[in-house]
Amino acid sequence: MTDTSVRQIDRLLAIMKRLRDPETGCPWDIVQTPASIAPFAIEEAYEVMDAIAHNDHAAIPDELGDLLLQVVYQAQMAEEAGQFDFETVAKLIADKMVRRHPHVFGDETGHSLAIWEQRKEEERRAKSEHGALAGIPLHLPALLKAAKLCNRAARVGFDWAEPAEVLDKVHEEIAELKAELGGDRDRIEDELGDVLFTVASLARKLDIDPEAALRRSNAKFTGRFETMESMLAEEGKVMREQDLQTLEALWQKAKQKPGLR
């Protein structure tokens, strides 16, 4: 760490303290609470991911700064409440990194991922978080949480032997959903959730990140849809005025475009 970087983090901490000053700070910042600010951390994390996915080296440090601000913001509010401060946050993560890497900072040998998971399990036990599913954050995005739940269950042997078996389960869940269509909405939601959860299980069994796979499909859908709009615009037409048959034909054309197959 350079002297400049140390000065800049100190500067950021001082800026946050001033923004929260009850007498001379920013009215918006003053009234915020840990709960009101928390959702922004998720939003900023996704913006970091987006910048990285686009290989936007100009945007990445800016987005990382926005994410760092959320840490500084929470630490400042906690310090005001006499709970902890930024130094505590930095110390705890530094201690954790050393603790979880004894093969780097100590003399232990072994596979790094296995050691990491072992240390995490020891930490959960120390916190009295028992059980294979303990410690998974409550508010994770549902698809990501499903993948983590499946992964934890698989570690203790609750798993299918082959991906084909999971795919059979997906078809089974789809059939159960189909049987509920037209009936009770709560039952439909329940069965649809089972389909999504089993698809997440299939992704794990195939060693595919379901979030990444879905982001890829989202991008593909966006590209095809916008291509359809562009093709119609070239003819002076708009999508809402077309029948479904015309839109399906346009969709098939859009699918043939490079990068959209």
Side-chain angles (χ1 to χ4, degrees), residues 220 224 254-261:
K220 190 190 304 180
R224 291 174 180 176
K255 285 177 64 175
Q256 301 309 311
K257 298 288 185 179
L260 298 179
R261 296 181 181 178

Side-chain angles (χ1 to χ4, degrees), residues 27-230:
W28 187 88
D29 288 290
I30 292 170
V31 300
Q32 298 310 308
T33 66
S36 70
I37 288 297
F40 291 104
I42 298 173
E43 179 180 331
E44 299 299 353
Y46 277 111
E47 290 186 7
V48 169
M49 290 177 63
D50 191 59
I52 293 172
H54 287 89
N55 205 28
D56 190 343
H57 297 294
I60 291 172
D62 185 56
E63 298 298 348
L64 286 171
D66 290 342
L67 184 57
L68 175 60
L69 178 63
Q70 297 307 308
V71 178
V72 169
Y73 211 136
Q74 290 287 350
Q76 175 59 36
M77 288 186 287
E79 184 176 359
E80 294 165 4
Q83 298 165 342
F84 58 84
D85 58 12
F86 183 82
E87 287 297 316
T88 303
V89 174
K91 179 182 183 304
L92 286 174
I93 188 58
D95 290 347
K96 184 185 294 184
M97 290 301 97
V98 172
R99 186 170 63 249
R100 290 187 180 178
H101 294 84
H103 53 299
V104 176
F105 299 102
D107 55 8
E108 187 169 335
T109 59
H111 190 279
S112 59
L113 181 58
I115 293 173
W116 175 275
E117 293 297 344
Q118 179 185 344
R119 289 296 186 271
K120 286 180 66 176
E121 179 60 30
E122 291 170 355
E123 289 165 13
R124 284 194 291 268
R125 287 200 299 268
K127 295 178 182 177
S128 298
E129 295 177 346
H130 302 295
L133 306 182
I136 297 178
L138 179 64
H139 296 294
L140 278 178
L143 185 59
L144 177 59
K145 185 169 185 176
K148 283 187 172 293
L149 288 168
C150 296
N151 188 51
R152 290 281 191 89
R155 287 185 202 167
V156 294
F158 190 66
D159 192 14
W160 284 275
E162 300 293 338
E165 296 176 357
V166 196
L167 186 58
D168 289 341
K169 185 64 176 177
V170 171
H171 290 307
E172 178 186 322
E173 296 294 354
I174 291 174
E176 292 180 6
L177 171 62
K178 185 176 181 180
E180 295 293 341
L181 293 180
D184 180 69
R185 181 178 177 83
D186 187 62
R187 287 294 305 152
I188 294 172
E189 180 178 328
D190 186 60
E191 294 298 343
L192 180 58
D194 288 345
V195 171
L196 295 172
F197 188 90
T198 310
V199 168
S201 296
L202 178 60
R204 187 203 62 79
K205 197 65 180 175
L206 294 171
D207 196 25
I208 291 174
D209 178 357
E211 286 276 344
L214 186 55
R215 283 196 298 272
R216 185 171 179 175
S217 291
N218 287 343
K220 190 190 304 180
F221 179 86
T222 300
R224 291 174 180 176
F225 194 88
E226 291 177 345
T227 297
M228 292 168 63
E229 290 178 317
S230 296

